[in-house]
Amino acid sequence: MNSSKKKGSEILLAGARTIRTYPPLLMIVVLFIVFSILFPDRFLTPMNLSSILGQFVTLILFALGPSMVVTTGSLDLSYVGVWMLGGILVWHFTPLLGVAAILIIPLLGLVTGIIIGVIQVKARVPSFILTLSVSAGYAGLTSVLSGGYPRVVRGYEFLTARLIPYVPTALLWTIPLIIVAVFIMRSTKVGAYFYAIGSNEEGARLAGINVDRYKILAFTMSGLLTGIGSIIQFQHLGGSVPLTLNMNTLIQPLTAIVFGGTLLTGGSGGPDRTIIGALLFAVLYRGLYISLINPEILQLLIGLVLVLSIVIASRGLKGVTIT
Amino acid sequence: MKDNVPIIELKNVSKTFGGVVRALDSVSIAIYKNEVVGVVGENGAGKSTLMKILAGVFPPDSGEWYYTGQKLTFPKNPKEAVERGVAIVYQEKGVVPALKVYQYLFLGHEDKYSEFFRLKTNEMKKYADEMLKEFHIDCDIENFMYELSPSTQKMIEIAKAILSLRLEYGSDNTASVVILDEPTAPLTVEERQDLFNYILKMKKATSFVLVSHIMHEVLEFTDRVYVLRDGKLVAHYNLSEDKITENDLFKAIVGKEFVEELHATQTGRNVGDEVVLVAKNLTKKGSYYDVSFELRKGECIGIFGPAGSGKSEIIKTIAGILHFDKGVLAVKGEEAKSGELPHVRLTKGVGYFCGRTEEQLFFNWSVRKNISIVNMEKILRKPLPVINFNTEKQVTEKIMQKFRIKTPSVDTDCQSLSGGNKQKLSVGRWFERRPDILLLEDPTIGIDVGAREDIYEAVLEMKNEGVSMVLVSDDPKEYSTLCDKIIFMKSGRVEKVLNALEFKEAIVT
């Protein structure tokens, strides 16, 4: 009796500690309960839960790479561009290369990352504008290459063929990517150096870190991760190539990063927090979605929540340290 | 001390933090009209807590506040403290560089000088001009703050404190107190002298409480000194009556003897023949010209001179932060080119340490991460670039013990450490890494004597084990403690080279 009581309190303590490190977890639980009570017949359905997972995959695949860049104090918004241009290139080259054409996307991501990194380091331009411009430029190129029609690429459906009912197969592909990203950031020299650069660039330089090289590496790894992710993303989102840059696709992964508690100024956070941020965003989004409010109002709400979360993420909540 | 009634008297003030740490234990102090009162003690002795109570940042748990003999409650916020005649100039608050002098002086008091949202700029300028004249500050009200020297900036900060007292508390009342929290920390030796001359002049307008780590400053420029240790008042000297030396004061502060003197006798020992660093006719236009020297294994060379003599630029050039225009620099027989960055120099064995910890440390990180980032090669699971967290913890704990860094655990936020502990952490990181050449710039700036001794001990240990060093500092004593050879710089050129003994004689006379 006594020991079980002790065990119980230990579990509670461990839970409290986890919530202290990852406060958004608590928000997920709260939102989940609130939505379940408000919409008992719509929220807790297998269909909706499956949609939440699907949305989560979309967000995390885009946000994973950039969340590594954000720890160095820069931003990478090139993911939408890589995904769009990669898609249309695959459409062009599939007749030529067959299934191997899909590898064009990670290659594109890698090259894009290197180019962005080198420009950012050498020209010292704000990464936000730079990567946004790259996305816009790639979107334009996609439009040109597609000849003005949305293109559907067939032949890769096997990538996302359903294996487990209600669980998006893309999620299964995503898990190893997440593990690799978290491992790199938490347990390797590269990760430690990324955080160092974001926390205090001058200090990192004085500690003997080749700051420029690691900044380029951050963009390169981000680009590569986005590229690999886009293979799955591409099929996950139906295999068709959009022709215009969609603001939502651009903003929502960024929101997921901020939701997770990663400071946009760098030095803290990272992919592990982004997982939670993406899940939180997915739950919130789906919850509001099934509430049947006007889609335009939904947009407004998401915008407001993003602003709020940026404020909280940059100031920190009382009693919560962001590391 | 013309009046026998103190302006402000605190009686039996106690303050406990978090129910456990006793920051102040029944401390009583009094401040009379027109005097400078020194408050000294190690970091954590309770100085800051006492000053914050005086300035109204927080009230104490118990105690009494007397104002010219009248009992009052403690001020609840800084504004209330100002209304009662106490203003504070913080060590690190800093000025607003983008403002003009008169704008900065009235910053926060614009309400008193505006009508219908329009600032009465002319009146502000007139008053500001009068104040600069009254306080003999050598600058123009139209100057931007960033154009002024650090000492002038500090003077303006003090003038601003006095101005706020006059505006909020009564224009002619000299029964007021300005607290100066380590005002000289960012200043050079000459600038310090200027600032103190100014403070002595200002004594007729207000009283000062001076918090400082620099003993001779306190002895020279204050009328009375309170010594705090572990939250208790351990000594009180009236300097016009008591004849006390720096050593006496030091003993009162830490309760033990100087270690510095012991080290001074060690200079010149263990210097090898191998030359590890050669500078030949190094020139950086506008900073230094034709600087040549050779650094041997286990030797420490000091570069000494006033601010602007080029000493700081030289050490930064060796570190790879700045670059030279002409000349040759060679590290261990290998030429080091001008454009090399710090990380390249580090692979050649040149480490740089600066006492300004905000440039060096990662404040939002734990102590453990701050140490391991410099010692990455030691804690990796070779050949993989994967961190071994156990080794990381061992390395961290070793350094924390060695340097007596006081923290609850290795995972404590670096931010929450005291200034002295931050500095020890910052040096300690290099202790494990052991570069062949360690560059020290102001290694003990703004920290207390106890922490300073710990750092000297560790630095000398490294030196005895064959690490070569270059030192740049503002404290002559530091040179005589650490260096074997001292290069005198003046306006960017080498004036003379002295050995440690000659240097001691030179600075005494």
Side-chain angles (χ1 to χ4, degrees), chain B residues 121-134:
Chain B
T121 324
N122 287 333
E123 279 180 44
M124 284 163 69
K125 283 185 186 172
K126 201 169 145 245
Y127 194 10
D129 206 38
E130 278 169 20
M131 281 204 81
L132 293 189
K133 287 214 176 73
E134 182 190 344

Side-chain angles (χ1 to χ4, degrees), chain A residues 165-211:
Chain A
Y166 295 116
V167 176
T169 310
L171 179 65
L172 306 179
W173 288 107
T174 309
I175 288 168
L177 281 183
I178 293 177
I179 291 172
V180 168
V182 172
F183 179 76
I184 289 175
M185 291 309 289
R186 288 285 154 195
S187 310
T188 69
K189 176 170 126 176
V190 174
Y193 281 6
F194 283 175
Y195 284 117
I197 292 167
S199 171
N200 180 354
E201 194 172 323
E202 193 52 36
R205 204 163 271 134
L206 295 179
I209 296 170
N210 188 342
V211 171

Side-chain angles (χ1 to χ4, degrees), chain B residues 469-485:
Chain B
M469 293 172 190
V470 178
L471 171 77
V472 163
S473 164
D474 274 332
D475 183 0
K477 202 159 202 166
E478 201 151 281
Y479 287 93
S480 59
T481 308
L482 299 175
C483 295
D484 304 304
K485 201 160 88 179

Side-chain angles (χ1 to χ4, degrees), chain A residues 183 186-189 192-193 195-196 199-200 202-211 266-268 321-323, chain B residues 321 342-343 346 352 358-365 369 373-374 376-377 380 385-387 389 413 429-430 433:
Chain A
F183 179 76
R186 288 285 154 195
S187 310
T188 69
K189 176 170 126 176
Y193 281 6
Y195 284 117
S199 171
N200 180 354
E202 193 52 36
R205 204 163 271 134
L206 295 179
I209 296 170
N210 188 342
V211 171
S268 70
T321 48
I322 298 168
T323 42
Chain B
I321 302 164
H343 65 90
L346 191 60
Y352 169 79
E358 69 278 4
E359 287 170 17
Q360 298 250 318
L361 293 176
F362 306 95
F363 281 173
N364 65 337
W365 281 8
K369 284 276 164 228
I373 195 78
V374 173
M376 203 43 90
E377 299 307 319
L380 293 181
V386 176
I387 297 165
F389 290 109
D413 258 9
R429 312 193 297 173
W430 294 104
R433 174 118 180 197

Side-chain angles (χ1 to χ4, degrees), chain B residues 200-249:
Chain B
L200 291 183
K201 270 186 224 152
M202 293 304 306
K203 253 165 77 171
K204 63 178 187 293
T206 181
S207 301
F208 288 98
V209 174
L210 172 72
V211 178
S212 178
H213 285 312
I214 303 169
M215 299 295 120
H216 65 84
E217 272 180 18
V218 176
L219 289 176
E220 200 171 331
F221 298 106
T222 63
D223 301 304
R224 290 182 301 120
V225 184
Y226 289 101
V227 183
L228 291 174
R229 197 197 312 150
D230 297 328
K232 291 193 186 72
L233 195 63
V234 290
H236 170 221
Y237 301 108
N238 197 331
L239 294 180
S240 55
E241 292 158 19
D242 308 334
K243 287 274 162 276
I244 64 161
T245 63
E246 247 180 81
N247 233 331
D248 297 333
L249 199 54

Side-chain angles (χ1 to χ4, degrees), chain A:
Chain A
M1 182 69 200
N2 206 0
S3 73
S4 76
K5 217 179 196 173
K6 210 173 158 192
K7 227 174 205 168
S9 68
E10 260 170 31
I11 291 169
L12 270 181
L13 215 71
R17 216 176 300 129
T18 317
I19 297 231
R20 238 182 111 78
T21 357
Y22 300 109
L25 271 181
L26 188 69
M27 304 252 303
I28 295 179
V29 176
V30 170
L31 280 182
F32 216 87
I33 295 170
V34 168
F35 285 131
S36 304
I37 294 170
L38 283 179
F39 318 111
D41 49 343
R42 289 202 297 270
F43 191 77
L44 275 181
T45 57
M47 194 59 204
N48 185 52
L49 295 180
S50 176
S51 299
I52 289 178
L53 284 182
Q55 176 113 16
F56 168 75
V57 171
T58 312
L59 288 170
I60 197 73
L61 283 178
F62 278 144
L64 209 52
S67 67
M68 296 168 97
V69 174
V70 168
T71 59
T72 68
S74 297
L75 260 180
D76 185 0
L77 297 175
S78 65
Y79 43 85
V80 185
V82 169
W83 167 62
M84 287 169 70
L85 185 61
I88 205 74
L89 287 177
V90 171
W91 175 76
H92 264 286
F93 284 97
T94 300
L96 209 72
L97 302 171
V99 180
I102 199 79
L103 294 177
I104 287 173
I105 311 184
L107 194 67
L108 178 71
L110 183 75
V111 172
T112 309
I114 294 174
I115 293 171
I116 290 175
V118 170
I119 295 178
Q120 218 261 320
V121 162
K122 297 294 169 205
R124 311 222 172 264
V125 287
S127 54
F128 176 79
I129 299 298
L130 175 65
T131 54
L132 192 63
S133 310
V134 167
S135 262
Y138 277 16
L141 195 55
T142 308
S143 206
V144 172
L145 291 177
S146 67
Y149 296 100
R151 301 294 182 180
V152 179
V153 185
R154 297 193 198 287
Y156 302 100
E157 288 81 1
F158 65 92
L159 281 174
T160 47
R162 188 135 296 191
L163 297 172
I164 309 166
Y166 295 116
V167 176
T169 310
L171 179 65
L172 306 179
W173 288 107
T174 309
I175 288 168
L177 281 183
I178 293 177
I179 291 172
V180 168
V182 172
F183 179 76
I184 289 175
M185 291 309 289
R186 288 285 154 195
S187 310
T188 69
K189 176 170 126 176
V190 174
Y193 281 6
F194 283 175
Y195 284 117
I197 292 167
S199 171
N200 180 354
E201 194 172 323
E202 193 52 36
R205 204 163 271 134
L206 295 179
I209 296 170
N210 188 342
V211 171
D212 286 356
R213 189 209 283 171
Y214 279 92
K215 272 186 160 177
I216 297 174
L217 186 63
F219 281 105
T220 308
M221 285 180 24
S222 168
L224 183 63
L225 263 178
T226 303
I228 297 171
S230 290
I231 297 179
I232 310 151
Q233 189 82 288
F234 193 54
Q235 281 310 308
H236 181 60
L237 295 179
S240 72
V241 186
L243 297 183
T244 50
L245 198 59
N246 184 340
M247 201 60 190
N248 281 337
T249 332
L250 193 68
I251 288 297
Q252 289 180 2
L254 190 63
T255 317
I257 295 175
V258 175
F259 265 23
T262 300
L263 291 180
L264 291 183
T265 47
S268 70
D272 50 342
R273 279 176 187 275
T274 302
I275 303 166
I276 296 164
L279 195 60
L280 176 59
F281 185 85
V283 171
L284 177 70
Y285 190 86
R286 287 300 304 178
L288 292 174
Y289 187 79
I290 57 164
S291 71
L292 301 179
I293 57 172
N294 190 322
E296 279 78 27
I297 300 290
L298 181 63
Q299 281 295 316
L300 176 67
L301 284 177
I302 296 293
L304 287 178
V305 173
L306 176 63
V307 171
L308 191 71
S309 61
I310 287 179
V311 172
I312 292 173
S314 58
R315 287 186 60 234
L317 282 172
K318 210 177 175 181
V320 177
T321 48
I322 298 168
T323 42

